[in-house]
Amino acid sequence: MRQPLAALLWRAVLAAALVCVIGLLPWLSRTDPALTVLKARSAERDPTPEVLADIREQLGLDSGPFSLLGQWLGGLWRGDAGRSWISGDEVLPTVLQALGVSLLLMSAALLVALVTARLVCARTLHLGSRRLLDGRRAGGGGSAMLAALPEFLVASVLATVVGVHLGWLPALGWYGPQWTVLPALALGLPAGAVLGRLLDDLLPGAFAEPWALATAAQGLPARRIARRAVRRCVPALLPNFGLFVVGLTGGAVAVEQVFDIPGLGRTTLQAALAQDLPVLQAGALALVLLAAVATGACRLAARLLVGPALRDGALTTLHRPAPSARRVQPLVHGTLLVAVVALGLPRDPLALDTGERLQAPSPTHPFGTDALGRDLLARVGHGAFDTLLLALGISAVALCAGVALGLLPRLSGPLADTVNSVPPVLGALLVTAVVGGGTATPAIAVTAVAWTPLAAHTSALLVQERATEHFAAARQFGAGPWHLLRRELLPAVLPPVTRHALVRLPGIALALASLGFLGLGAQPPSPEWGLLLAENQPYAERAPWAVLAPAAVLALLGAFAVTATGGVRWPGRRRGPGGRLRGRPPGALLTRPSTSSEELVRT
């Protein structure tokens, strides 16, 4: 009873801290809230001292931020979230309406994501259910490229091609079920590709468990074996699924901007830019509550799926030593990526030639030119250092922080939920308010949230690994905490989480690109890939190569990152002659469900 109560108290403290920080946003940014509100209300009106004083009196700004925060918190007990500083309307109906729109869009996007994840895992499920896997995995290049495509780019392409040119579905607005299809596809396809890659990484371990051997010997249909394998792997992915629920609800800002959807992400963005604190605080609180509900539901579902085996320590490990990595695919993708960068570096990324505006690809300009006549190959090549090095650094920091915090689930669980509930745009604005603007601001904002899926993945794997038979056997033989961590837990947890971090590498670049698309990332004339996409987005219909060039290189990065994950394994575990695995994998102490103590000693 004490542990759930402590976790609930810790979650409440974090939620209160987040709301308080948001309430102090104007004062942290050292700006005059009255001036910001005046610009949002009427940009033409002169900010005279009398006008600003009148706004301060109306909003009660003279009493200070803590007084305003106390009044807002006091009103919540009565169901009153205050009134908007911009429109004067009640906040609660506005936020609830926006939340309803985002929840509907999130539900449709999750449906698309689940279908996409099923397609990504189709080959592994087919081979594994028929005992034909034999260490083989799907290449994953196509799913990696799909996961690496920016959501706002997918949204723009769908809106332009499907909505405008073909006229099959409406492209703008939010008036009924038809208007949910295109934005749901834009959100669900990349998310489903990531979920599919994580599930595909666990399935071979499930098909290698004793139950799979027994069911295959009994002649059960391959479809039933595949369903049971998916059910065995889902509990380890449910924490990340909960993060996706919150991320697709409050983090779909760019897609809502493209399709003109009045969702919670867009409402929060507008309130943050205008410093409309009552709306901003109510939106953040709604996302925090959604994160708590989603996390609780995912934990309950995981316990129901695993059943008594989690309590009794009767699980077997899902993580076997990784098969030999395919060297051809990552070599091809890496060579192409290096070739693009090498060909672009000798060119000048800032040379202007207005007579060559939006030129199609040619021998002189292999990737074409942008709206100012600058060579796109040069800008992509020079932007690789800004994008790749920054994304690699952020991924390394996120991996270390995610694993370290994931080993402390009671601390990291509520913290990850709270941090994940902050939309990326709001996170960037908070970082800007605290540390100021600059090139480091988007990197700090992305790093602050990039560790959350890795920590959730680590915690989920840790819980299941502690419930395995080999872990219980090691404890019974007197293994200490450090031995258990080093020899039993980390070998099973660290390789899949590292592969997860590599899968997320294009997502890190995407997060930076999204901030650039919304004007909160790199600034011109920087050739950063996200800024390239943002600058050339208005010309996507007239000159599609201006957008496809950086998008294709970003997709190539995703393919390289995913195909290279096959080489990530715990040190010392390699294939010997004849394909036999060297080194003891987790669970090698128990190779059969019923093993006597004498056999364990001999092993």
Side-chain angles (χ1 to χ4, degrees), residues 128-206:
S129 60
R130 289 164 176 80
R131 311 302 305 165
L132 300 174
L133 197 58
D134 191 26
R136 290 178 289 177
R137 301 270 186 97
S143 62
M145 291 185 177
L146 181 60
L149 289 178
E151 294 172 347
F152 60 83
L153 177 61
V154 178
S156 299
V157 171
L158 291 175
T160 302
V161 177
V162 180
V164 177
H165 286 299
L166 300 178
W168 291 347
L169 291 167
L172 293 176
W174 187 262
Y175 305 103
Q178 291 182 335
W179 278 262
T180 64
V181 177
L182 294 183
L185 289 173
L187 289 171
L189 290 176
V194 174
L195 282 175
R197 291 304 309 166
L198 297 180
L199 179 59
D200 194 68
D201 189 58
L202 295 175
L203 283 173

Side-chain angles (χ1 to χ4, degrees), residues 73-99:
L73 292 174
L76 287 179
W77 296 105
R78 304 187 302 272
D80 181 15
R83 291 184 174 272
S84 169
W85 287 1
I86 308 301
S87 64
D89 298 332
E90 291 187 5
V91 168
L92 196 57
T94 302
V95 171
L96 290 179
Q97 183 179 3
L99 179 62

Side-chain angles (χ1 to χ4, degrees), residues 483-504:
H483 178 87
L484 292 173
L485 177 65
R486 184 171 57 90
R487 298 298 300 273
E488 303 295 338
L489 296 179
L490 286 182
V493 171
L494 198 55
V497 175
T498 304
R499 292 193 291 268
H500 184 184
L502 286 175
V503 171
R504 291 271 179 180

Side-chain angles (χ1 to χ4, degrees), residues 7 10-11 299 402-417 455-456 458-460 462-463 466:
W10 173 230
R11 189 181 297 275
R299 288 181 178 176
V403 172
L405 290 173
L407 295 176
L408 304 170
R410 295 174 187 172
L411 171 68
S412 63
L415 182 60
D417 298 338
T458 301
S459 298
L462 193 70
V463 169
R466 283 175 172 169

Side-chain angles (χ1 to χ4, degrees), residues 11 13 55 64 121 135 138 187 201 228 230 247 269 277 285 303 333 419 449 483 498 524 561 586:
R11 189 181 297 275
V13 169
I55 293 178
C121 301
L187 289 171
D201 189 58
R228 291 188 179 183
V230 171
L269 171 63
L277 289 188
L285 185 60
R303 291 185 177 276
H333 296 147
V419 171
V449 299
H483 178 87
T498 304

